[in-house]
Every structure is written in structure tokens, then in C-alpha cells.
């Protein structure tokens, strides 16, 4: 990844936070944002009007694009930060040559209906070798990046040198980076933690307290361990920050949109009403169905993920489902 030209694909809160970090580590980078009016606003006012507006940019360091192919063609390191539900509509009709490019997934979700990880989708759709994909994840909310609070990110890639070079792009005085080679494990772990955080929000909305939540989260990490061990078996330590740390911050933080979404469901909101009120994507909603479908093949014991699925997709009573779940936790 020498002579790097970097492209950030996406204009949401996490894309904005990553763009801010990258902007301090390169002389210039490319940024695809779907809405031209947001691009025009950043050029004029130096901040994203919709997400993390406290972050100020130097527009002279950014080459803006509102056509995704142009942005990808212009770069050789692609950091993809588009919510999983919108990836196929955005990329499905594009004919892009990824030869010589390194693709980095910074999305915490599966491709709906296909029920595969984001890197798997790009490998299949655009013939990208496994050696040319990576992933960025960890307990790192965009809002705290904007506040420059100390955070940690893990970069996963097959080869350590590639992971280190991506890590150099997203390192900052307030962002420490960790290297891993567990690409699929990190992707699936980040998907599962969104489901569990959504469930934690449901619990909170129903009035369950910290004592129950602690038991719930400890069971969730064991459920994650069972699933990852069956789907993508390899040596990993789930107490590392990219797994357990990300689960904890997403289940407990005030900045967690999945927890907030679940809290609304627990308080009696319909799924549609919660989505409208949140006004942001809760990846855990789509992930819940995808993991349910994936697990039909693997048949892992997943009482927490199943309870969340029943509440969201079968419209089962949340209070009754959590009460039944509570009898299964240890």
C-alpha cells in the first residue's frame, strides 16, 4: 500500500469521525458523500451539517465525490463506511475494478438477504482476494472521537504489514490502534454486539436494572463465543477490546444507537416509530434477522439473539420474552 490515495465512502457519523482522523495523517484524501448538499455545506462551513457537526474540516485537503465509482477509481485504499442495508443499492449496479486496491470494511453489519459479511460481499461481487481486504472495529463511538476522548481501534488483515499501514491512517493522539488477523471473527463479533446492545436497550426500557444487565451481558459474550467458534473457528480471545470491549460500550453507552433503539422498543414503541424517532440506522435491527437466518445452518444455542428476533420480527411481547429469557441466563 505504497503511494496511498485514500477514499472514505460514506457520509454518516462514523464516516465523518474516520474522515477527521485520516485528514490529520494524509495531505489529501477523497470523500464520497451521497448528498451533494452535504458536500456543499462542508466546503462552505467546514463541518457535516447532519452528523458530528462539532468536527471541523479543512476542505482544501478533501477531494469530494458524489459518485461512488469516481471516488473508488481515484484511490487505492478504500475505507467503506456505508450502513449495510444500503450497500447493495449503492454498489449493485457499479462496474468497478478493485485491482491493486485494498478494501477496508468499517461497517458493523451483514448484507441483508445475502446474510454475509461486508468483506465477503465485496470479495464475491468485485473479485477482491482475501489478502486485499481488511476490517476496522472496536469500542469507539464517533461522538467521543469528536470530543477527542481516548479510544482504541483494531485493524484486521491477513498480513500484518497491511494491518499496520491501515492502522497508521487511523491513529491519532487520542486513538490507539491494535493489530489482528481475525477478519471474519471481528466482523461477526461487531454484528452480534449490536444485537446484544439492542437487547440491553429493551431490558432497560422494560425497567430491568444494572444487576440483570450484568448477567445479560456476561451471557451475551458467551453466546458470541459459541457462535464465532462454530462459524469461523480459529484461536481468538473474546476478552480483547474488539470483542468484549465493543459489546460493553454498545450495551451501556449513551451514544449507542442500538441501545437507544432497543430502549424505545422496551418502552412500547413499534419498530417503525422507533426508526423514525431515532433518525439514524440501528444496524442491530437488520443484523438480528441476518444472524437468525445464518444460524439455521449452524444451529448454535443463541437464546438472547432469538429473543430479540422474536420481539422485533415476530412481534412477540417484549416483557414476556425477556422474562422467559431471564430463566435461561446463568
Amino acid at each position: 500500500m505504497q503511494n496511498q490515495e485514500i477514499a472514505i465512502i460514506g457520509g454518516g457519523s462514523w464516516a465523518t469521525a474516520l474522515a477527521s482522523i485520516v485528514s490529520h495523517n494524509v495531505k489529501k484524501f477523497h470523500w464520497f458523500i451521497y448528498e451533494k448538499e452535504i458536500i456543499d455545506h462542508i466546503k462552505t462551513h467546514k463541518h457535516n451539517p447532519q452528523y458530528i457537526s462539532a468536527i471541523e474540516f479543512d476542505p482544501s485537503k478533501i477531494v469530494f465525490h458524489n459518485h461512488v465509482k469516481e471516488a473508488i477509481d481515484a484511490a487505492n485504499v478504500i475505507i467503506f463506511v456505508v450502513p449495510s442495508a444500503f450497500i447493495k443499492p449503492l454498489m449493485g449496479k457499479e462496474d468497478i475494478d478493485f485491482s491493486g486496491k485494498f478494501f477496508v470494511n468499517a461497517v458493523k453489519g451483514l448484507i441483508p438477504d445475502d446474510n454475509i459479511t461486508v468483506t465477503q460481499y465485496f470479495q464475491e461481487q468485485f473479485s477482491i482476494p482475501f489478502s486485499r481486504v481488511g476490517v476496522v472495529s472496536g469500542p469507539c463511538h464517533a461522538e467521543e472521537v469528536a470530543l477527542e476522548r481516548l479510544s482504541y481501534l483494531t485493524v484486521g488483515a491477513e498480513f500484518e504489514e497491511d494491518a499496520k499501514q491501515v492502522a497508521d491512517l487511523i491513529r491519532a493522539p487520542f486513538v490507539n490502534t491494535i493489530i489482528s488477523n481475525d477478519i471474519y471473527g471481528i466482523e461477526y463479533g461487531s454484528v452480534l454486539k449490536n444485537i446484544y446492545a439492542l437487547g440491553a436497550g429493551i431490558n432497560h426500557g422494560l425497567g430491568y436494572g444494572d444487576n440483570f444487565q450484568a448477567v445479560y451481558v456476561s451471557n451475551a459474550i458467551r453466546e458470541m463465543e459459541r457462535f464465532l467458534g462454530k462459524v469461523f473457528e480459529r484461536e481468538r480471545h473474546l476478552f480483547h477490546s474488539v470483542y468484549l470491549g465493543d459489546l460493553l460500550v454498545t450495551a451501556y453507552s449513551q451514544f449507542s444507537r442500538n441501545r437507544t433503539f432497543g430502549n424505545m422498543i422496551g418502552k412500547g414503541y413499534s419498530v417503525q416509530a422507533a426508526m423514525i424517532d431515532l433518525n439514524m440506522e440501528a444496524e442491530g435491527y437488520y443484523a438480528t434477522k441476518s444472524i437468525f437466518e445464518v444460524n439455521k445452518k449452524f444451529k448454535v444455542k443463541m437464546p438472547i439473539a432469538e429473543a430479540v428476533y422474536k420481539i422485533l420480527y415476530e412481534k412477540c411481547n417484549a416483557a414476556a420474552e425477556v422474562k422467559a429469557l431471564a430463566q435461561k441466563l446463568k
Side-chain angles (χ1 to χ4, degrees), residues 31-78:
W31 192 1
F32 163 80
I33 300 177
Y34 184 80
E35 301 89 345
K36 190 175 184 302
E37 60 272 20
I38 293 180
I39 292 175
D40 292 338
H41 188 98
I42 297 174
K43 286 180 177 179
T44 303
H45 302 286
K46 301 183 180 181
H47 68 266
N48 189 326
Q50 293 190 4
Y51 302 102
I52 319 295
S53 58
I55 294 177
E56 185 171 302
F57 291 95
D58 177 357
S60 68
K61 298 186 68 173
I62 307 171
V63 180
F64 289 99
H65 304 266
N66 73 331
H67 194 298
V68 68
K69 185 178 188 303
E70 291 179 358
I72 294 174
D73 284 347
N76 55 12
V77 179
I78 317 300

Side-chain angles (χ1 to χ4, degrees), residues 9-311:
I9 310 298
S13 58
W14 187 224
T16 301
L18 286 174
S20 174
I21 298 170
V22 169
S23 70
H24 295 291
N25 294 323
V26 298
K27 294 180 179 179
K28 192 178 286 285
F29 70 99
H30 300 266
W31 192 1
F32 163 80
I33 300 177
Y34 184 80
E35 301 89 345
K36 190 175 184 302
E37 60 272 20
I38 293 180
I39 292 175
D40 292 338
H41 188 98
I42 297 174
K43 286 180 177 179
T44 303
H45 302 286
K46 301 183 180 181
H47 68 266
N48 189 326
Q50 293 190 4
Y51 302 102
I52 319 295
S53 58
I55 294 177
E56 185 171 302
F57 291 95
D58 177 357
S60 68
K61 298 186 68 173
I62 307 171
V63 180
F64 289 99
H65 304 266
N66 73 331
H67 194 298
V68 68
K69 185 178 188 303
E70 291 179 358
I72 294 174
D73 284 347
N76 55 12
V77 179
I78 317 300
I79 302 177
F80 206 87
V81 210
V82 174
S84 61
F86 302 125
I87 290 176
K88 287 180 72 175
L90 177 67
M91 301 298 299
K93 297 180 180 179
E94 296 292 346
D95 181 19
I96 299 174
D97 183 6
F98 275 87
S99 300
K101 302 182 188 296
F102 193 87
F103 175 86
V104 182
N105 171 34
V107 182
K108 298 180 178 181
L110 298 180
I111 304 297
D113 300 324
D114 291 15
N115 302 323
I116 57 177
T117 72
V118 175
T119 60
Q120 287 174 323
Y121 170 80
F122 276 86
Q123 285 175 259
E124 294 176 9
Q125 187 74 14
F126 299 99
S127 302
I128 306 176
F130 181 72
S131 62
R132 302 299 293 169
V133 300
V135 61
V136 171
S137 192
C140 193
H141 285 306
E143 293 83 357
E144 292 205 354
V145 171
L147 294 169
E148 297 191 357
R149 292 177 176 171
L150 183 60
S151 304
Y152 293 74
L153 285 170
T154 295
V155 178
E158 183 179 15
F159 298 114
E160 184 176 335
E161 185 58 34
D162 290 331
K164 286 180 177 179
Q165 290 192 50
V166 174
D168 287 342
L169 295 173
I170 59 170
R171 187 178 292 115
F174 53 91
V175 178
N176 289 341
T177 53
I178 302 161
I179 302 303
S180 171
N181 60 8
D182 187 20
I183 297 173
Y184 292 154
I186 290 171
E187 284 188 295
Y188 274 113
S190 68
V191 169
L192 289 166
K193 64 91 183 178
N194 281 337
I195 299 172
Y196 301 140
L198 200 156
I202 292 173
N203 300 339
H204 185 266
L206 289 169
Y208 286 85
D210 293 344
N211 294 344
F212 177 75
Q213 294 283 46
V215 175
Y216 169 88
V217 170
S218 66
N219 277 261
I221 195 65
R222 293 200 296 274
E223 186 168 301
M224 182 188 295
E225 184 175 37
R226 290 195 297 271
F227 184 85
L228 294 183
K230 192 68 178 278
V231 175
F232 187 55
E233 185 177 1
R234 60 165 299 130
E235 183 179 355
R236 62 173 63 87
H237 301 289
L238 262 68
F239 52 77
H240 286 177
S241 63
V242 73
Y243 310 105
L244 178 58
D246 205 6
L247 170 61
L248 291 173
V249 77
T250 313
Y252 287 108
S253 174
Q254 62 177 323
F255 295 126
S256 170
R257 70 190 71 173
N258 288 287
R259 185 183 191 278
T260 301
F261 181 84
N263 186 57
M264 292 177 185
I265 300 298
K267 289 183 178 297
Y269 282 64
S270 68
V271 167
Q272 184 178 16
M275 284 184 167
I276 292 171
D277 211 43
L278 186 64
N279 196 31
M280 296 176 78
E281 286 301 311
E283 290 275 16
Y285 172 72
Y286 303 102
T288 297
K289 184 178 181 181
S290 292
I291 290 295
F292 182 81
E293 295 295 331
V294 170
N295 199 38
K296 287 181 179 179
K297 173 183 176 181
F298 294 100
K299 302 185 186 308
V300 178
K301 183 180 178 182
M302 302 184 75
I304 297 175
E306 289 173 9
V308 175
Y309 177 84
K310 289 179 181 179
I311 293 167

